[in-house]
Amino acid sequence: MLQPILHQLNSKNIVLASSSPRRKQILGNINLKFDTAKSNFEENLDKGSFSSPIEYVRETAKQKTLEVVERLFPSESLPDLLIGADTIVTKEDNIFEKPSSKDHAIEMITSLSGSSHKVLTAVVLVTPKSSDVFRGRVSLDDRLDITQFEEVSEVFMPDLPADIIKSYVETGEAMDKAGGYGIQAIGGSLISGIHGDYFNVMGFPLHRFCVELRNICKL
């Protein structure tokens, strides 16, 4: 979807505010040129203070992105586009992020086994406002245009025997994945089907991103 404007985009300064190798791979696969900057935001927001998992992932994604803006671009020298995101797994409004240990990963996958769950990704696109506002000291809100959106995919996991769950976790793949599994690799063998965007389950909703970016570019 971005091919007609890719040459324009690749002449811009684009930064992915994430250290996720999956997000880097997804965007790299469409030949988008960008730099990466890891967010240092501690993902410790009080889940109980949010009315829904979507509200939680939306705020986490925003704070992760703004941390990069404030730390690396404290003055007017913003990139042309900064991309941030956060992904969580939810089931019955319970939020599953990255497991803290192998036992935690086993517990997560066991909870998801034999039913469906949802993968939510919130994406934040930050662009600078007109340079006309950069006269004197201005607030962060006065410097930025922020576009946010969310994508939801439903994932189906069959009943998994305990030995299969344990052996999967022992591969080490589960430890940096929301929900404790990665659909793009060994964890794909644990999944019987999905409804929605496959790339969203990986961690970045590619099609929706392209649509939103074209809207920002007014193309």
Side-chain angles (χ1 to χ4, degrees), residues 4-184:
I5 60 171
L6 193 61
H7 65 290
Q8 295 174 253
L9 292 172
N10 285 342
S11 69
K12 305 296 184 181
N13 181 13
I14 300 176
V15 175
L16 173 64
S18 172
S19 59
S20 165
R22 275 78 61 188
R23 293 184 185 125
K24 185 176 180 180
Q25 175 189 350
I26 291 168
L27 291 176
N29 283 347
I30 61 170
N31 296 321
L32 186 68
K33 294 181 180 179
F34 57 92
D35 295 317
T36 59
K38 179 182 178 180
S39 175
N40 292 333
F41 176 73
E42 293 187 18
E43 299 176 38
N44 56 2
L45 297 177
D46 179 10
K47 298 178 178 64
S49 65
F50 293 88
S51 61
S52 67
I54 284 183
E55 293 295 327
Y56 170 79
V57 74
R58 179 184 293 144
E59 185 63 20
T60 300
K62 182 178 180 180
Q63 294 304 321
K64 287 170 67 175
T65 307
L66 292 182
E67 190 280 331
V68 172
V69 172
E70 293 174 321
R71 177 168 50 89
L72 298 183
F73 308 101
S75 61
E76 302 90 47
S77 57
L78 288 163
D80 298 302
L81 172 66
L82 194 141
I83 306 164
D86 189 56
T87 300
I88 60 172
V89 169
T90 71
K91 180 182 176 183
E92 298 172 353
D93 283 342
N94 293 313
I95 296 174
F96 300 84
E97 296 180 292
K98 296 175 183 178
S100 58
S101 65
K102 287 185 177 181
D103 286 343
H104 190 204
I106 290 172
E107 179 184 333
M108 279 187 179
I109 300 173
T110 301
S111 297
L112 301 176
S113 174
S115 61
S116 69
H117 58 271
K118 293 180 179 179
V119 177
L120 312 181
T121 300
V123 177
V124 180
L125 305 179
V126 176
T127 54
K129 289 186 177 179
S130 168
S131 59
D132 289 343
V133 304
F134 298 143
R135 294 177 180 173
R137 294 179 62 83
V138 295
S139 69
L140 190 64
D141 288 343
D142 289 333
R143 296 174 57 215
L144 310 177
D145 280 321
I146 299 177
T147 300
Q148 289 188 257
F149 62 90
E150 300 80 38
E151 190 72 21
V152 182
S153 301
E154 187 172 15
V155 180
F156 300 87
M157 187 178 287
D159 281 311
L160 299 172
D163 63 327
I164 288 179
I165 295 174
K166 182 178 180 181
S167 62
Y168 171 68
V169 171
E170 286 297 326
T171 68
E173 184 180 274
M175 300 312 298
D176 67 338
K177 312 289 193 303
Y181 71 91
I183 195 172
Q184 71 280 359

